[in-house]
Amino acid sequence: LALRLAPLPDVAALATLDDLLRQLDETRADPDRQLDLNEAWHRALLAGCPNRRLLERLAPLRRSLRRYVARFLRRGGGRGLATGGPRQVLAALRAGDRGLAAARLDDLLASGSSELAGWLARGDQAADLERSSGSR
């Protein structure tokens, strides 16, 4: 919704978004830096949203997810945050299609949430198995 409400980014904003994605690609070995860059990218993406209350409501949600994403990155075998989805969002914005950009962002958030939830569930199952086998 915040992206749908925001005006299309200007050339400078697009360059900032592109630069943040480039930096994100270069920091796979540093989960904390990846998280910082990912958050900066999302803030820059939504900076033009005129609904400040909506942005204020989104901020704590992003902060609460950070610890889970950090754990995912640290235990994910060096896997970094993918930038393919954000690049699709950026390409749609460059083409002037805010609706497509918002749809791509929706897809990105849904797939990321699903992947994270699956990873957490598998981790919880493994921990349960370890506890139950240790009690025999």
Side-chain angles (χ1 to χ4, degrees), residues 37-87:
L37 289 166
N38 185 56
E39 289 173 15
W41 187 84
H42 282 274
R43 277 192 312 273
L45 179 67
L46 303 178
C49 176
N51 189 332
R52 293 293 143 202
R53 188 173 190 158
L54 175 59
L55 295 177
E56 289 168 4
R57 303 282 304 224
L58 290 173
L61 295 173
R62 294 196 57 77
R63 280 192 303 271
S64 68
L65 285 174
R66 183 181 172 113
R67 70 181 173 151
Y68 298 106
V69 176
R71 187 174 172 201
F72 172 76
L73 291 173
R74 287 187 186 100
R75 296 186 178 187
R79 180 178 171 185
L81 292 170
T83 59
R87 290 199 186 286

